[in-house]
mmCIF file of all heavy atoms in Angstrom:
data_model
loop_
_atom_site.group_PDB
_atom_site.id
_atom_site.type_symbol
_atom_site.label_atom_id
_atom_site.label_comp_id
_atom_site.label_asym_id
_atom_site.label_seq_id
_atom_site.Cartn_x
_atom_site.Cartn_y
_atom_site.Cartn_z
ATOM 1 N N MET A 1 -1.752 -0.864 -11.982
ATOM 2 C CA MET A 1 -1.507 -1.645 -10.796
ATOM 3 C C MET A 1 -0.835 -0.800 -9.730
ATOM 4 O O MET A 1 -1.074 -1.000 -8.550
ATOM 5 C CB MET A 1 -0.642 -2.854 -11.173
ATOM 6 C CG MET A 1 -0.730 -3.972 -10.204
ATOM 7 S SD MET A 1 -2.365 -4.693 -10.273
ATOM 8 C CE MET A 1 -2.684 -4.930 -8.576
ATOM 9 N N VAL A 2 -0.009 0.140 -10.165
ATOM 10 C CA VAL A 2 0.666 1.016 -9.212
ATOM 11 C C VAL A 2 -0.374 1.788 -8.397
ATOM 12 O O VAL A 2 -0.297 1.853 -7.167
ATOM 13 C CB VAL A 2 1.613 2.006 -9.929
ATOM 14 C CG1 VAL A 2 2.225 2.978 -8.944
ATOM 15 C CG2 VAL A 2 2.686 1.256 -10.686
ATOM 16 N N GLU A 3 -1.352 2.339 -9.089
ATOM 17 C CA GLU A 3 -2.380 3.115 -8.405
ATOM 18 C C GLU A 3 -3.195 2.246 -7.451
ATOM 19 O O GLU A 3 -3.519 2.673 -6.343
ATOM 20 C CB GLU A 3 -3.310 3.788 -9.416
ATOM 21 C CG GLU A 3 -2.650 4.856 -10.246
ATOM 22 C CD GLU A 3 -2.010 4.298 -11.515
ATOM 23 O OE1 GLU A 3 -2.070 3.066 -11.745
ATOM 24 O OE2 GLU A 3 -1.430 5.099 -12.267
ATOM 25 N N ALA A 4 -3.521 1.044 -7.871
ATOM 26 C CA ALA A 4 -4.303 0.144 -7.015
ATOM 27 C C ALA A 4 -3.537 -0.187 -5.736
ATOM 28 O O ALA A 4 -4.118 -0.191 -4.633
ATOM 29 C CB ALA A 4 -4.650 -1.136 -7.770
ATOM 30 N N ASN A 5 -2.250 -0.453 -5.855
ATOM 31 C CA ASN A 5 -1.450 -0.755 -4.670
ATOM 32 C C ASN A 5 -1.334 0.468 -3.758
ATOM 33 O O ASN A 5 -1.408 0.346 -2.533
ATOM 34 C CB ASN A 5 -0.060 -1.253 -5.064
ATOM 35 C CG ASN A 5 -0.086 -2.691 -5.519
ATOM 36 O OD1 ASN A 5 -0.992 -3.444 -5.208
ATOM 37 N ND2 ASN A 5 0.916 -3.086 -6.278
ATOM 38 N N ALA A 6 -1.165 1.634 -4.341
ATOM 39 C CA ALA A 6 -1.069 2.856 -3.539
ATOM 40 C C ALA A 6 -2.375 3.124 -2.802
ATOM 41 O O ALA A 6 -2.368 3.445 -1.611
ATOM 42 C CB ALA A 6 -0.696 4.034 -4.432
ATOM 43 N N VAL A 7 -3.492 2.956 -3.496
ATOM 44 C CA VAL A 7 -4.802 3.165 -2.865
ATOM 45 C C VAL A 7 -5.019 2.146 -1.749
ATOM 46 O O VAL A 7 -5.506 2.485 -0.669
ATOM 47 C CB VAL A 7 -5.932 3.099 -3.911
ATOM 48 C CG1 VAL A 7 -7.300 3.046 -3.261
ATOM 49 C CG2 VAL A 7 -5.839 4.294 -4.844
ATOM 50 N N TRP A 8 -4.660 0.900 -1.989
ATOM 51 C CA TRP A 8 -4.808 -0.144 -0.978
ATOM 52 C C TRP A 8 -4.038 0.230 0.293
ATOM 53 O O TRP A 8 -4.563 0.116 1.403
ATOM 54 C CB TRP A 8 -4.302 -1.472 -1.523
ATOM 55 C CG TRP A 8 -4.399 -2.605 -0.555
ATOM 56 C CD1 TRP A 8 -3.635 -2.829 0.548
ATOM 57 C CD2 TRP A 8 -5.335 -3.676 -0.597
ATOM 58 N NE1 TRP A 8 -4.024 -3.973 1.188
ATOM 59 C CE2 TRP A 8 -5.077 -4.513 0.504
ATOM 60 C CE3 TRP A 8 -6.365 -4.021 -1.465
ATOM 61 C CZ2 TRP A 8 -5.806 -5.663 0.756
ATOM 62 C CZ3 TRP A 8 -7.078 -5.176 -1.197
ATOM 63 C CH2 TRP A 8 -6.810 -5.969 -0.110
ATOM 64 N N ALA A 9 -2.815 0.672 0.119
ATOM 65 C CA ALA A 9 -1.979 1.021 1.264
ATOM 66 C C ALA A 9 -2.571 2.196 2.040
ATOM 67 O O ALA A 9 -2.663 2.161 3.269
ATOM 68 C CB ALA A 9 -0.561 1.348 0.794
ATOM 69 N N VAL A 10 -2.984 3.222 1.333
ATOM 70 C CA VAL A 10 -3.543 4.406 1.996
ATOM 71 C C VAL A 10 -4.855 4.061 2.693
ATOM 72 O O VAL A 10 -5.074 4.431 3.850
ATOM 73 C CB VAL A 10 -3.737 5.554 0.985
ATOM 74 C CG1 VAL A 10 -4.540 6.684 1.587
ATOM 75 C CG2 VAL A 10 -2.387 6.048 0.496
ATOM 76 N N LEU A 11 -5.732 3.346 2.015
ATOM 77 C CA LEU A 11 -7.020 3.004 2.616
ATOM 78 C C LEU A 11 -6.875 2.059 3.811
ATOM 79 O O LEU A 11 -7.696 2.099 4.725
ATOM 80 C CB LEU A 11 -7.966 2.405 1.574
ATOM 81 C CG LEU A 11 -8.544 3.398 0.573
ATOM 82 C CD1 LEU A 11 -9.461 2.683 -0.415
ATOM 83 C CD2 LEU A 11 -9.276 4.517 1.272
ATOM 84 N N SER A 12 -5.857 1.233 3.811
ATOM 85 C CA SER A 12 -5.618 0.363 4.965
ATOM 86 C C SER A 12 -5.336 1.191 6.216
ATOM 87 O O SER A 12 -5.873 0.927 7.290
ATOM 88 C CB SER A 12 -4.435 -0.570 4.700
ATOM 89 O OG SER A 12 -4.736 -1.483 3.681
ATOM 90 N N VAL A 13 -4.510 2.207 6.058
ATOM 91 C CA VAL A 13 -4.182 3.071 7.198
ATOM 92 C C VAL A 13 -5.396 3.917 7.584
ATOM 93 O O VAL A 13 -5.699 4.077 8.772
ATOM 94 C CB VAL A 13 -2.955 3.950 6.882
ATOM 95 C CG1 VAL A 13 -2.692 4.941 8.002
ATOM 96 C CG2 VAL A 13 -1.734 3.074 6.634
ATOM 97 N N VAL A 14 -6.104 4.447 6.588
ATOM 98 C CA VAL A 14 -7.303 5.248 6.874
ATOM 99 C C VAL A 14 -8.341 4.403 7.609
ATOM 100 O O VAL A 14 -8.932 4.856 8.589
ATOM 101 C CB VAL A 14 -7.889 5.837 5.570
ATOM 102 C CG1 VAL A 14 -9.263 6.441 5.809
ATOM 103 C CG2 VAL A 14 -6.948 6.873 4.992
ATOM 104 N N ALA A 15 -8.550 3.190 7.155
ATOM 105 C CA ALA A 15 -9.516 2.308 7.816
ATOM 106 C C ALA A 15 -9.103 2.021 9.248
ATOM 107 O O ALA A 15 -9.942 2.002 10.162
ATOM 108 C CB ALA A 15 -9.656 0.998 7.035
ATOM 109 N N LEU A 16 -7.833 1.817 9.456
ATOM 110 C CA LEU A 16 -7.333 1.541 10.799
ATOM 111 C C LEU A 16 -7.579 2.727 11.720
ATOM 112 O O LEU A 16 -8.004 2.561 12.861
ATOM 113 C CB LEU A 16 -5.838 1.212 10.736
ATOM 114 C CG LEU A 16 -5.177 0.741 12.012
ATOM 115 C CD1 LEU A 16 -5.811 -0.551 12.502
ATOM 116 C CD2 LEU A 16 -3.690 0.542 11.784
ATOM 117 N N VAL A 17 -7.345 3.928 11.226
ATOM 118 C CA VAL A 17 -7.506 5.133 12.039
ATOM 119 C C VAL A 17 -8.981 5.516 12.180
ATOM 120 O O VAL A 17 -9.423 5.916 13.257
ATOM 121 C CB VAL A 17 -6.698 6.301 11.423
ATOM 122 C CG1 VAL A 17 -7.000 7.614 12.111
ATOM 123 C CG2 VAL A 17 -5.214 5.983 11.476
ATOM 124 N N ALA A 18 -9.738 5.393 11.089
ATOM 125 C CA ALA A 18 -11.092 5.943 11.055
ATOM 126 C C ALA A 18 -12.165 5.032 11.647
ATOM 127 O O ALA A 18 -12.997 5.496 12.414
ATOM 128 C CB ALA A 18 -11.464 6.303 9.627
ATOM 129 N N TRP A 19 -12.178 3.749 11.274
ATOM 130 C CA TRP A 19 -13.314 2.975 11.715
ATOM 131 C C TRP A 19 -13.016 1.565 12.213
ATOM 132 O O TRP A 19 -13.895 0.914 12.770
ATOM 133 C CB TRP A 19 -14.405 2.922 10.655
ATOM 134 C CG TRP A 19 -14.051 2.208 9.385
ATOM 135 C CD1 TRP A 19 -14.106 0.876 9.163
ATOM 136 C CD2 TRP A 19 -13.618 2.798 8.168
ATOM 137 N NE1 TRP A 19 -13.708 0.600 7.882
ATOM 138 C CE2 TRP A 19 -13.419 1.761 7.250
ATOM 139 C CE3 TRP A 19 -13.386 4.114 7.769
ATOM 140 C CZ2 TRP A 19 -12.994 2.001 5.942
ATOM 141 C CZ3 TRP A 19 -12.962 4.338 6.471
ATOM 142 C CH2 TRP A 19 -12.772 3.297 5.577
ATOM 143 N N LEU A 20 -11.832 1.061 12.050
ATOM 144 C CA LEU A 20 -11.518 -0.261 12.587
ATOM 145 C C LEU A 20 -11.005 -0.135 14.018
ATOM 146 O O LEU A 20 -10.407 0.862 14.382
ATOM 147 C CB LEU A 20 -10.458 -0.948 11.734
ATOM 148 C CG LEU A 20 -10.844 -1.309 10.303
ATOM 149 C CD1 LEU A 20 -9.667 -1.948 9.597
ATOM 150 C CD2 LEU A 20 -12.046 -2.220 10.265
ATOM 151 N N SER A 21 -11.244 -1.160 14.798
ATOM 152 C CA SER A 21 -10.684 -1.187 16.160
ATOM 153 C C SER A 21 -10.167 -2.600 16.437
ATOM 154 O O SER A 21 -10.725 -3.330 17.252
ATOM 155 C CB SER A 21 -11.728 -0.767 17.184
ATOM 156 O OG SER A 21 -12.895 -1.532 17.047
ATOM 157 N N PRO A 22 -9.094 -2.980 15.738
ATOM 158 C CA PRO A 22 -8.561 -4.336 15.896
ATOM 159 C C PRO A 22 -7.749 -4.462 17.184
ATOM 160 O O PRO A 22 -7.451 -3.477 17.867
ATOM 161 C CB PRO A 22 -7.652 -4.493 14.676
ATOM 162 C CG PRO A 22 -7.173 -3.104 14.411
ATOM 163 C CD PRO A 22 -8.338 -2.219 14.768
ATOM 164 N N SER A 23 -7.376 -5.690 17.472
ATOM 165 C CA SER A 23 -6.459 -5.930 18.579
ATOM 166 C C SER A 23 -5.096 -5.330 18.214
ATOM 167 O O SER A 23 -4.881 -4.884 17.088
ATOM 168 C CB SER A 23 -6.318 -7.438 18.819
ATOM 169 O OG SER A 23 -5.716 -8.043 17.690
ATOM 170 N N THR A 24 -4.188 -5.342 19.153
ATOM 171 C CA THR A 24 -2.845 -4.826 18.873
ATOM 172 C C THR A 24 -2.205 -5.593 17.731
ATOM 173 O O THR A 24 -1.608 -5.006 16.828
ATOM 174 C CB THR A 24 -1.974 -4.927 20.139
ATOM 175 O OG1 THR A 24 -2.601 -4.169 21.178
ATOM 176 C CG2 THR A 24 -0.582 -4.387 19.888
ATOM 177 N N ALA A 25 -2.341 -6.910 17.754
ATOM 178 C CA ALA A 25 -1.770 -7.733 16.679
ATOM 179 C C ALA A 25 -2.414 -7.389 15.340
ATOM 180 O O ALA A 25 -1.725 -7.307 14.309
ATOM 181 C CB ALA A 25 -1.951 -9.212 16.986
ATOM 182 N N GLY A 26 -3.719 -7.159 15.330
ATOM 183 C CA GLY A 26 -4.408 -6.795 14.096
ATOM 184 C C GLY A 26 -3.972 -5.445 13.566
ATOM 185 O O GLY A 26 -3.819 -5.251 12.364
ATOM 186 N N ALA A 27 -3.762 -4.492 14.487
ATOM 187 C CA ALA A 27 -3.303 -3.165 14.076
ATOM 188 C C ALA A 27 -1.898 -3.240 13.489
ATOM 189 O O ALA A 27 -1.606 -2.623 12.458
ATOM 190 C CB ALA A 27 -3.333 -2.209 15.259
ATOM 191 N N VAL A 28 -1.028 -4.012 14.140
ATOM 192 C CA VAL A 28 0.343 -4.170 13.631
ATOM 193 C C VAL A 28 0.313 -4.854 12.268
ATOM 194 O O VAL A 28 1.008 -4.444 11.334
ATOM 195 C CB VAL A 28 1.211 -4.953 14.633
ATOM 196 C CG1 VAL A 28 2.543 -5.349 14.021
ATOM 197 C CG2 VAL A 28 1.422 -4.136 15.901
ATOM 198 N N TRP A 29 -0.488 -5.891 12.151
ATOM 199 C CA TRP A 29 -0.602 -6.611 10.876
ATOM 200 C C TRP A 29 -1.090 -5.684 9.770
ATOM 201 O O TRP A 29 -0.561 -5.694 8.651
ATOM 202 C CB TRP A 29 -1.549 -7.799 11.019
ATOM 203 C CG TRP A 29 -1.649 -8.598 9.769
ATOM 204 C CD1 TRP A 29 -2.630 -8.545 8.832
ATOM 205 C CD2 TRP A 29 -0.697 -9.554 9.293
ATOM 206 N NE1 TRP A 29 -2.355 -9.412 7.808
ATOM 207 C CE2 TRP A 29 -1.173 -10.046 8.066
ATOM 208 C CE3 TRP A 29 0.498 -10.030 9.793
ATOM 209 C CZ2 TRP A 29 -0.485 -10.993 7.336
ATOM 210 C CZ3 TRP A 29 1.176 -10.982 9.049
ATOM 211 C CH2 TRP A 29 0.684 -11.451 7.840
ATOM 212 N N THR A 30 -2.090 -4.866 10.059
ATOM 213 C CA THR A 30 -2.628 -3.940 9.066
ATOM 214 C C THR A 30 -1.562 -2.944 8.616
ATOM 215 O O THR A 30 -1.415 -2.668 7.425
ATOM 216 C CB THR A 30 -3.851 -3.201 9.627
ATOM 217 O OG1 THR A 30 -4.842 -4.169 10.002
ATOM 218 C CG2 THR A 30 -4.455 -2.255 8.607
ATOM 219 N N LEU A 31 -0.817 -2.404 9.561
ATOM 220 C CA LEU A 31 0.244 -1.465 9.204
ATOM 221 C C LEU A 31 1.351 -2.140 8.396
ATOM 222 O O LEU A 31 1.859 -1.562 7.428
ATOM 223 C CB LEU A 31 0.829 -0.822 10.458
ATOM 224 C CG LEU A 31 -0.079 0.176 11.159
ATOM 225 C CD1 LEU A 31 0.556 0.637 12.468
ATOM 226 C CD2 LEU A 31 -0.381 1.360 10.263
ATOM 227 N N LEU A 32 1.715 -3.356 8.769
ATOM 228 C CA LEU A 32 2.763 -4.076 8.029
ATOM 229 C C LEU A 32 2.344 -4.376 6.595
ATOM 230 O O LEU A 32 3.136 -4.211 5.666
ATOM 231 C CB LEU A 32 3.139 -5.365 8.755
ATOM 232 C CG LEU A 32 3.964 -5.202 10.024
ATOM 233 C CD1 LEU A 32 4.145 -6.555 10.716
ATOM 234 C CD2 LEU A 32 5.310 -4.579 9.718
ATOM 235 N N GLN A 33 1.092 -4.808 6.430
ATOM 236 C CA GLN A 33 0.663 -5.105 5.064
ATOM 237 C C GLN A 33 0.523 -3.820 4.263
ATOM 238 O O GLN A 33 0.811 -3.797 3.072
ATOM 239 C CB GLN A 33 -0.611 -5.954 5.037
ATOM 240 C CG GLN A 33 -1.858 -5.315 5.583
ATOM 241 C CD GLN A 33 -2.634 -4.516 4.558
ATOM 242 O OE1 GLN A 33 -2.524 -4.746 3.356
ATOM 243 N NE2 GLN A 33 -3.410 -3.560 5.020
ATOM 244 N N ALA A 34 0.123 -2.720 4.887
ATOM 245 C CA ALA A 34 0.043 -1.447 4.169
ATOM 246 C C ALA A 34 1.428 -0.993 3.728
ATOM 247 O O ALA A 34 1.611 -0.513 2.600
ATOM 248 C CB ALA A 34 -0.611 -0.387 5.048
ATOM 249 N N MET A 35 2.411 -1.157 4.597
ATOM 250 C CA MET A 35 3.786 -0.783 4.239
ATOM 251 C C MET A 35 4.324 -1.673 3.126
ATOM 252 O O MET A 35 5.013 -1.195 2.217
ATOM 253 C CB MET A 35 4.686 -0.861 5.472
ATOM 254 C CG MET A 35 4.404 0.233 6.469
ATOM 255 S SD MET A 35 5.304 0.205 8.041
ATOM 256 C CE MET A 35 6.640 -0.898 7.809
ATOM 257 N N THR A 36 4.007 -2.952 3.164
ATOM 258 C CA THR A 36 4.464 -3.878 2.128
ATOM 259 C C THR A 36 3.861 -3.532 0.771
ATOM 260 O O THR A 36 4.572 -3.418 -0.234
ATOM 261 C CB THR A 36 4.118 -5.327 2.507
ATOM 262 O OG1 THR A 36 4.727 -5.636 3.758
ATOM 263 C CG2 THR A 36 4.564 -6.308 1.448
ATOM 264 N N VAL A 37 2.555 -3.347 0.746
ATOM 265 C CA VAL A 37 1.880 -3.024 -0.512
ATOM 266 C C VAL A 37 2.316 -1.646 -1.015
ATOM 267 O O VAL A 37 2.522 -1.451 -2.210
ATOM 268 C CB VAL A 37 0.349 -3.109 -0.340
ATOM 269 C CG1 VAL A 37 -0.378 -2.632 -1.583
ATOM 270 C CG2 VAL A 37 -0.060 -4.542 -0.014
ATOM 271 N N GLY A 38 2.504 -0.700 -0.090
ATOM 272 C CA GLY A 38 3.010 0.613 -0.481
ATOM 273 C C GLY A 38 4.411 0.517 -1.064
ATOM 274 O O GLY A 38 4.744 1.211 -2.029
ATOM 275 N N GLY A 39 5.228 -0.360 -0.483
ATOM 276 C CA GLY A 39 6.574 -0.585 -1.017
ATOM 277 C C GLY A 39 6.537 -1.159 -2.417
ATOM 278 O O GLY A 39 7.331 -0.765 -3.285
ATOM 279 N N PHE A 40 5.607 -2.076 -2.663
ATOM 280 C CA PHE A 40 5.448 -2.609 -4.016
ATOM 281 C C PHE A 40 5.068 -1.494 -4.987
ATOM 282 O O PHE A 40 5.561 -1.450 -6.111
ATOM 283 C CB PHE A 40 4.395 -3.711 -4.070
ATOM 284 C CG PHE A 40 4.841 -5.023 -3.504
ATOM 285 C CD1 PHE A 40 3.978 -5.791 -2.739
ATOM 286 C CD2 PHE A 40 6.112 -5.508 -3.728
ATOM 287 C CE1 PHE A 40 4.378 -7.001 -2.217
ATOM 288 C CE2 PHE A 40 6.531 -6.722 -3.215
ATOM 289 C CZ PHE A 40 5.655 -7.471 -2.452
ATOM 290 N N ALA A 41 4.188 -0.600 -4.568
ATOM 291 C CA ALA A 41 3.781 0.505 -5.437
ATOM 292 C C ALA A 41 4.977 1.388 -5.780
ATOM 293 O O ALA A 41 5.140 1.795 -6.939
ATOM 294 C CB ALA A 41 2.684 1.328 -4.765
ATOM 295 N N VAL A 42 5.805 1.667 -4.798
ATOM 296 C CA VAL A 42 6.997 2.488 -5.047
ATOM 297 C C VAL A 42 7.934 1.786 -6.023
ATOM 298 O O VAL A 42 8.448 2.399 -6.969
ATOM 299 C CB VAL A 42 7.719 2.803 -3.716
ATOM 300 C CG1 VAL A 42 9.084 3.419 -3.963
ATOM 301 C CG2 VAL A 42 6.867 3.723 -2.859
ATOM 302 N N LEU A 43 8.166 0.495 -5.817
ATOM 303 C CA LEU A 43 9.043 -0.262 -6.722
ATOM 304 C C LEU A 43 8.470 -0.330 -8.133
ATOM 305 O O LEU A 43 9.209 -0.208 -9.118
ATOM 306 C CB LEU A 43 9.278 -1.668 -6.177
ATOM 307 C CG LEU A 43 10.122 -1.764 -4.911
ATOM 308 C CD1 LEU A 43 10.123 -3.194 -4.394
ATOM 309 C CD2 LEU A 43 11.539 -1.280 -5.176
ATOM 310 N N GLN A 44 7.164 -0.533 -8.254
ATOM 311 C CA GLN A 44 6.537 -0.581 -9.570
ATOM 312 C C GLN A 44 6.668 0.766 -10.281
ATOM 313 O O GLN A 44 6.968 0.823 -11.472
ATOM 314 C CB GLN A 44 5.060 -0.958 -9.440
ATOM 315 C CG GLN A 44 4.844 -2.386 -9.018
ATOM 316 C CD GLN A 44 3.415 -2.660 -8.595
ATOM 317 O OE1 GLN A 44 2.707 -1.761 -8.153
ATOM 318 N NE2 GLN A 44 3.002 -3.915 -8.718
ATOM 319 N N TYR A 45 6.445 1.841 -9.547
ATOM 320 C CA TYR A 45 6.561 3.174 -10.128
ATOM 321 C C TYR A 45 7.996 3.429 -10.595
ATOM 322 O O TYR A 45 8.211 3.936 -11.689
ATOM 323 C CB TYR A 45 6.114 4.232 -9.115
ATOM 324 C CG TYR A 45 6.209 5.628 -9.625
ATOM 325 C CD1 TYR A 45 5.267 6.111 -10.552
ATOM 326 C CD2 TYR A 45 7.213 6.480 -9.216
ATOM 327 C CE1 TYR A 45 5.344 7.395 -11.043
ATOM 328 C CE2 TYR A 45 7.306 7.778 -9.703
ATOM 329 C CZ TYR A 45 6.371 8.230 -10.610
ATOM 330 O OH TYR A 45 6.461 9.499 -11.094
ATOM 331 N N ALA A 46 8.956 3.063 -9.769
ATOM 332 C CA ALA A 46 10.368 3.258 -10.124
ATOM 333 C C ALA A 46 10.724 2.452 -11.369
ATOM 334 O O ALA A 46 11.458 2.927 -12.245
ATOM 335 C CB ALA A 46 11.270 2.869 -8.959
ATOM 336 N N ALA A 47 10.215 1.233 -11.469
ATOM 337 C CA ALA A 47 10.496 0.400 -12.635
ATOM 338 C C ALA A 47 9.887 0.994 -13.895
ATOM 339 O O ALA A 47 10.515 0.979 -14.965
ATOM 340 C CB ALA A 47 9.971 -1.016 -12.415
ATOM 341 N N LEU A 48 8.687 1.527 -13.778
ATOM 342 C CA LEU A 48 8.054 2.157 -14.950
ATOM 343 C C LEU A 48 8.829 3.398 -15.390
ATOM 344 O O LEU A 48 9.002 3.637 -16.581
ATOM 345 C CB LEU A 48 6.612 2.535 -14.628
ATOM 346 C CG LEU A 48 5.622 1.379 -14.573
ATOM 347 C CD1 LEU A 48 4.260 1.869 -14.078
ATOM 348 C CD2 LEU A 48 5.484 0.716 -15.920
ATOM 349 N N ARG A 49 9.304 4.193 -14.434
ATOM 350 C CA ARG A 49 10.080 5.374 -14.773
ATOM 351 C C ARG A 49 11.411 4.986 -15.420
ATOM 352 O O ARG A 49 11.855 5.643 -16.355
ATOM 353 C CB ARG A 49 10.340 6.234 -13.536
ATOM 354 C CG ARG A 49 9.090 6.733 -12.898
ATOM 355 C CD ARG A 49 8.918 8.179 -12.737
ATOM 356 N NE ARG A 49 10.091 8.993 -12.773
ATOM 357 C CZ ARG A 49 10.085 10.221 -13.262
ATOM 358 N NH1 ARG A 49 8.989 10.717 -13.733
ATOM 359 N NH2 ARG A 49 11.186 10.941 -13.247
ATOM 360 N N ALA A 50 12.028 3.925 -14.917
ATOM 361 C CA ALA A 50 13.311 3.481 -15.474
ATOM 362 C C ALA A 50 13.142 2.923 -16.891
ATOM 363 O O ALA A 50 14.061 3.016 -17.704
ATOM 364 C CB ALA A 50 13.933 2.442 -14.559
ATOM 365 N N ALA A 51 11.988 2.335 -17.157
ATOM 366 C CA ALA A 51 11.743 1.756 -18.483
ATOM 367 C C ALA A 51 11.624 2.840 -19.549
ATOM 368 O O ALA A 51 11.857 2.586 -20.734
ATOM 369 C CB ALA A 51 10.489 0.901 -18.466
ATOM 370 N N GLY A 52 11.247 4.025 -19.135
ATOM 371 C CA GLY A 52 11.149 5.129 -20.083
ATOM 372 C C GLY A 52 9.792 5.210 -20.730
ATOM 373 O O GLY A 52 8.930 4.340 -20.554
ATOM 374 N N PRO A 53 9.583 6.258 -21.522
ATOM 375 C CA PRO A 53 8.283 6.465 -22.157
ATOM 376 C C PRO A 53 8.009 5.408 -23.230
ATOM 377 O O PRO A 53 8.909 4.936 -23.901
ATOM 378 C CB PRO A 53 8.398 7.853 -22.782
ATOM 379 C CG PRO A 53 9.846 8.138 -22.856
ATOM 380 C CD PRO A 53 10.538 7.302 -21.808
ATOM 381 N N GLY A 54 6.733 5.066 -23.349
ATOM 382 C CA GLY A 54 6.329 4.137 -24.395
ATOM 383 C C GLY A 54 6.593 2.685 -24.112
ATOM 384 O O GLY A 54 6.493 1.835 -24.990
ATOM 385 N N ARG A 55 6.958 2.338 -22.878
ATOM 386 C CA ARG A 55 7.223 0.927 -22.578
ATOM 387 C C ARG A 55 6.312 0.410 -21.540
ATOM 388 O O ARG A 55 5.823 0.955 -20.701
ATOM 389 C CB ARG A 55 8.655 0.764 -22.111
ATOM 390 C CG ARG A 55 9.601 1.082 -23.225
ATOM 391 C CD ARG A 55 10.995 0.796 -22.841
ATOM 392 N NE ARG A 55 11.813 1.360 -23.915
ATOM 393 C CZ ARG A 55 13.081 1.223 -23.955
ATOM 394 N NH1 ARG A 55 13.734 0.568 -23.040
ATOM 395 N NH2 ARG A 55 13.764 1.740 -24.935
#
């Protein structure tokens, strides 16, 4: 799940830069959701590291 969230966040920004042309509100929304999902990925990764190996 960590990888899926990280990919989602990165692809959201790539899509915004590469081929989407949303309104200002749409661009802000896309960046906010990418940051949120990226934050979840960071928290999930940190939790897995804290749990230790084999958990």
Side-chain angles (χ1 to χ4, degrees):
M1 201 68 222
V2 176
E3 293 88 359
N5 283 339
V7 169
W8 179 287
V10 170
L11 287 180
S12 293
V13 174
V14 169
L16 187 61
V17 171
W19 65 83
L20 294 179
S21 53
S23 65
T24 301
V28 169
W29 183 260
T30 301
L31 289 174
L32 287 174
Q33 65 88 23
M35 289 176 16
T36 302
V37 174
F40 285 140
V42 169
L43 291 173
Q44 290 167 333
Y45 180 75
L48 285 173
R49 299 237 339 147
R55 294 186 189 184

